[in-house]
Amino acid sequence: MILPPATIGVLGGGQLGRYFVLAAHKLGYRVLVLDPDKQSVAGQIADEHIIAAYDDVNALNYMATACSAVTTEFENIPADTLDYLAGHIPVRPSAAAVRICQNRSREKSFLQAHDIPHAASLNITGEQDILMSPASIYPGIIKLASSGYDGKGQQIVENKSEALAAFNQFNSQPCVLEKKLELDYEVSVVLARNEDGNTAFFPIAQNVHKHGILDVSVMPAPALPEHLRIEAEGIARLIAGKMDYIGTMAVEFFVAGGQLLVNEIAPRPHNSGHATIDACYTSQFEQQVRALCGLPLGDSRAHSSAIMINILGDHWYQGSDGQTKIPDWQALLSIPALKLHLYGKEEPRPGRKMGHFTILTEQSGNWDLMAANARQKLSA
């Protein structure tokens, strides 16, 4: 067990790392952030920010000396970096778990090996794989095997010709070709698991995406029946157990034809879990700290229903002149049960996550009306 005021480390300095730092500080820990970005929003509030590449050996040696344990805030940290640090201090989640999740081909192979339901897919390493693909996989979505996020690095394809064109557009990098499904809706399970195998589940969120980016999460998921909630938690528990996972994890699901299918696994806190900051007794980020340090997991139950809405850089570009304008925070905050979170990023860009807000409510049945009302105030 690692107790405060020990120093703990996080690889990555975005908003997920920022909330990890805040949660760790609340518990009395010091935090060291390693991120090459001088403007890292987690580095801004950390006790120490190492500005270096993730494979910088000198930086990693310093981190191994200064920290009692290390975690990560996003899955594209080189797994070799995690392996290196694990030779000196505890690293949670493990390099093995992150290595699966940071590559779609490995992730699909993991799901298949454990008979976990997911959309039909093919690994694409060359044009021949596309030429030999069955007609039943179209229309499909071709996705880069690694480094894609928020809808980037993927493209809908109707046939082999379009798949070949997309593969060439991705410079013939390894890809996954996945059957495009008619979705009922999407949900995500966020959980925390400690080294003893104890697992705590947050209420399942129902998610709406726009242009590949999460737009709204509603917690608890209003459309999800009880039997699917139990099944989704069971699948997520199985995944975490097979990975011997320690930390906070998210499992994204498609619901298609009333059936659950795993979409992606995130070895970290998740955008759809942001409502836990305001609506749950213990947030996903505090659970991450607790699991990393060997502390008992907290109570993950919600004391309120919640609607979380992302704030993208687009909100700064409401006019037709192309000039930026600060959104109307005062109007947004006129909603009494609304909690505003801005990440401290200096440059608003279209599609960039600048913050989010959460509306706490007794019930989430009319979430779309509440979200529309809040958006109207933000854009006034």
Side-chain angles (χ1 to χ4, degrees), residues 152-174:
K152 299 178 177 66
Q154 57 183 266
Q155 189 170 319
I156 296 173
V157 292
E158 298 293 334
N159 49 49
K160 293 182 182 181
S161 295
E162 291 187 9
L164 286 168
F167 182 61
N168 289 326
Q169 185 179 329
F170 294 151
N171 297 317
S172 301
Q173 297 180 70

Side-chain angles (χ1 to χ4, degrees), residues 46-372:
D47 297 278
E48 189 171 359
H49 176 200
I50 302 175
I51 304 170
Y54 295 121
D55 58 357
D56 184 308
V57 174
N58 291 330
L60 297 180
N61 286 338
Y62 178 77
M63 196 173 202
T65 301
C67 297
S68 298
V70 168
T71 190
T72 177
E73 67 117 33
F74 76 119
E75 56 266 42
N76 289 328
I77 297 293
D80 288 347
T81 290
L82 301 178
D83 270 329
Y84 183 85
L85 287 170
H88 302 83
I89 53 175
V91 175
R92 298 163 176 162
S94 68
V98 173
R99 190 174 274 113
I100 292 169
C101 302
Q102 67 185 193
N103 182 281
R104 286 190 173 97
S105 295
R106 287 195 289 266
E107 187 175 77
K108 299 295 185 187
S109 297
F110 171 86
L111 296 174
Q112 185 173 359
H114 297 290
D115 295 320
I116 296 169
H118 59 286
S121 65
L122 294 173
N123 290 332
I124 305 298
T125 58
E127 292 187 354
Q128 190 65 23
D129 295 320
I130 296 174
L131 293 173
M132 297 294 291
S133 62
S136 60
I137 206 163
Y138 299 99
I141 306 174
I142 190 166
K143 304 176 179 180
L144 284 171
S146 59
S147 302
Y149 67 97
D150 284 347
K152 299 178 177 66
Q154 57 183 266
Q155 189 170 319
I156 296 173
V157 292
E158 298 293 334
N159 49 49
K160 293 182 182 181
S161 295
E162 291 187 9
L164 286 168
F167 182 61
N168 289 326
Q169 185 179 329
F170 294 151
N171 297 317
S172 301
Q173 297 180 70
C175 291
V176 168
L177 176 58
E178 185 178 294
K179 174 70 175 176
K180 186 176 184 294
L181 303 171
E182 292 296 326
L183 303 183
D184 303 336
Y185 49 92
E186 299 177 54
V187 297
S188 55
V189 175
V190 179
L191 63 89
R193 185 178 185 273
N194 64 17
E195 59 185 331
D196 295 326
N198 297 319
T199 306
F201 290 95
F202 292 97
I204 296 177
Q206 184 171 326
N207 305 318
V208 178
H209 292 79
K210 286 186 178 179
H211 309 297
I213 302 174
L214 182 64
D215 184 38
V216 180
S217 284
V218 188
M219 186 187 78
L224 190 71
E226 179 67 7
H227 74 281
L228 287 185
R229 180 193 68 80
I230 294 170
E231 183 182 347
E233 288 186 354
I235 292 171
R237 187 193 301 274
L238 174 64
I239 289 170
K242 292 297 183 182
M243 289 185 180
D244 196 19
Y245 192 89
I246 301 174
T248 296
M249 164 191 281
V251 181
E252 297 180 72
F253 290 89
F254 295 140
V255 182
Q259 302 296 312
L260 285 166
L261 299 168
V262 172
N263 175 27
E264 291 184 355
I265 308 165
R268 51 170 173 78
H270 196 257
N271 194 172
S272 66
H274 283 344
T276 65
I277 299 169
D278 300 304
C280 293
Y281 294 104
T282 308
S283 76
Q284 62 171 344
F285 300 100
E286 183 176 331
Q287 296 285 46
Q288 185 184 19
V289 176
R290 286 169 173 258
L292 174 66
C293 296
L295 302 175
L297 296 177
D299 186 347
S300 58
R301 291 176 302 160
H303 51 73
S304 303
S305 296
I307 304 155
M308 190 286 302
I309 300 174
N310 272 330
I311 302 172
L312 303 183
D314 307 64
H315 287 286
W316 276 253
Y317 294 88
Q318 297 292 337
S320 58
D321 57 2
Q323 300 298 310
T324 60
K325 178 185 176 183
I326 296 175
D328 194 343
W329 306 127
Q330 182 177 353
L332 188 66
L333 289 167
S334 69
I335 300 172
L338 184 145
K339 304 294 183 181
L340 176 64
H341 297 261
L342 296 175
Y343 303 150
K345 297 179 181 179
E346 292 187 3
E347 182 186 357
R349 297 193 300 269
R352 189 184 196 193
K353 294 173 183 173
M354 301 297 293
H356 72 271
F357 60 87
T358 302
I359 304 171
L360 302 179
T361 177
E362 292 184 1
Q363 52 82 33
S364 56
N366 58 343
W367 64 268
D368 49 346
L369 295 177
M370 287 188 278

